[in-house]
């Protein structure tokens, strides 16, 4: 592996840059590094947070077991992390699960499905077929608790963000922005084009872990009818 780019983020975190382009190969390095550090935590390690091309490592500078002449806390941790990741390619890749997400497309649950279809010269069924036609990688979680950023949807159903975001997007809504698609875990404002809704709860604060998905998993959307959505949702809309 080429020399890692590691920068300080404040006094208790560092950022590792694995590349500049959003693609599966770069993200696989991010996931492998996270797996490696979680399997070999150093004194003071708190957590690491994967993103598209970077990994943020949080640590407690008061629990590093740092020698008095060990330089700054960042320099000390940077040396530890670089050593742990030196032979990262030999670490077995984290087993990546594929999670099936049922989606009721269109209608009141997908008010922008018709726009996405028209903008791409397709009909609504074509958009649904393409959106459900491949596994999509969870590159990162963010924006809201458990919101998955899924990359790699075909250009044929890409759509721009709304010029004026909606003030309220219901929980479970599936949106498209550019060639990304995501799922709103909570009712929030949002500017993505909404094409459907899942009955699954992505944010579950009473459970451990509190979010359904995690970075590095694969998702495959499955179209379901309104009645099937209602059954899976237990009657809630």
């Amino acid at each position: 592996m080429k020399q890692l780019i590691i920068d300080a983020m404040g006094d208790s975190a560092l950022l590792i840059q694995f590349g500049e382009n959003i693609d599966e190969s770069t993200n696989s390095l991010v996931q492998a590094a996270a797996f490696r550090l979680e399997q070999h935590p150093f004194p003071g390690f708190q957590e690491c947070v994967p993103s598209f091309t970077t990994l943020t490592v949080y640590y407690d500078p008061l629990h590093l077991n740092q020698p008095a002449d060990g330089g700054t806390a960042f320099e000390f941790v940077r040396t530890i992390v670089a050593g742990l990741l030196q032979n990262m390619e030999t670490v077995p890749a984290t087993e990546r699960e594929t999670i099936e997400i049922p989606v009721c497309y269109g209608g009141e649950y997908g008010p922008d499905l018709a726009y996405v279809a028209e903008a791409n010269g397709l009909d609504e069924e074509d958009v649904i077929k393409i959106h459900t036609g491949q596994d999509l990688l969870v590159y990162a979680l963010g924006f809201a608790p458990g919101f998955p950023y899924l990359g790699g949807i075909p250009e044929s159903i890409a759509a721009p963000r709304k010029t004026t975001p909606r003030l309220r997007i219901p929980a479970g809504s599936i949106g498209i922005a550019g060639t990304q698609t995501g799922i709103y875990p909570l009712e929030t404002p949002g500017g993505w084009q909404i094409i459907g809704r899942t009955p699954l709860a992505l944010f579950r604060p009473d459970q451990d872990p509190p979010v359904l998905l995690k970075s590095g998993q694969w998702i495959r959307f499955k179209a379901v009818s309104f009645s099937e959505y209602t059954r899976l949702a237990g009657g809630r809309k």
Side-chain angles (χ1 to χ4, degrees):
M1 167 179 285
K2 64 182 182 180
Q3 186 174 2
L4 295 173
I5 300 174
I6 304 178
D7 296 312
M9 284 189 65
D11 61 359
S12 58
L14 55 79
L15 182 74
I16 310 172
Q17 178 79 44
F18 290 90
E20 296 181 351
N21 299 320
I22 299 174
D23 55 49
E24 292 179 17
S25 61
T26 298
N27 191 256
S28 69
L29 293 175
V30 175
Q31 300 300 334
F35 178 79
R36 176 75 169 174
L37 293 174
E38 288 168 352
Q39 294 300 308
H40 302 278
F42 54 86
F45 173 83
Q46 293 183 314
E47 65 172 335
C48 50
V49 179
S51 186
F52 290 89
T53 60
T54 64
L55 181 70
T56 303
V57 181
Y58 291 90
Y59 57 88
D60 184 345
L62 300 179
H63 293 84
L64 292 176
N65 293 340
Q66 182 180 2
D69 58 350
T72 66
F74 163 67
E75 292 169 340
F76 183 70
V77 175
R78 180 177 60 185
T79 300
I80 294 174
V81 169
L84 286 171
L85 302 183
Q86 187 174 13
N87 298 314
M88 194 176 61
E89 291 90 343
T90 63
V91 177
T94 305
E95 183 178 349
R96 297 189 174 192
E97 305 171 86
T98 298
I99 309 296
E100 187 175 85
I101 303 290
V103 182
C104 183
Y105 287 92
E108 67 173 300
Y109 290 169
D112 300 320
L113 178 62
Y115 167 79
V116 173
E118 183 177 359
N120 289 290
L122 303 170
D123 60 38
E124 295 183 10
E125 289 303 317
D126 291 330
V127 175
I128 295 171
K129 184 177 181 180
I130 294 170
H131 196 253
T132 57
Q134 65 183 73
D135 292 342
L136 298 168
L137 177 63
V138 180
Y139 278 93
L141 299 178
F143 165 62
F147 182 101
Y149 287 92
L150 308 170
I153 64 170
E155 289 280 356
S156 58
I157 59 170
R161 294 171 184 262
K162 288 185 165 298
T163 53
T164 302
R166 289 188 173 91
L167 296 180
R168 299 175 61 183
I169 302 289
S173 294
I174 314 296
I176 286 178
T179 56
Q180 293 187 79
T181 186
I183 310 170
Y184 287 80
L186 301 170
E187 181 180 284
T188 69
W192 292 31
Q193 306 289 348
I194 304 303
I195 62 171
R197 193 184 303 176
T198 180
L200 300 185
L202 270 68
F203 179 53
R204 311 163 299 178
D206 58 336
Q207 297 187 37
D208 183 20
V211 296
L212 177 66
L213 304 174
K214 60 184 180 182
S215 180
Q217 289 178 321
W218 291 87
I219 279 179
R220 178 173 284 262
F221 293 111
K222 177 186 177 183
V224 298
S225 65
F226 178 79
S227 60
E228 180 66 1
Y229 173 98
T230 302
R231 185 187 70 79
L232 294 171
R236 61 182 168 81
K237 295 185 71 176

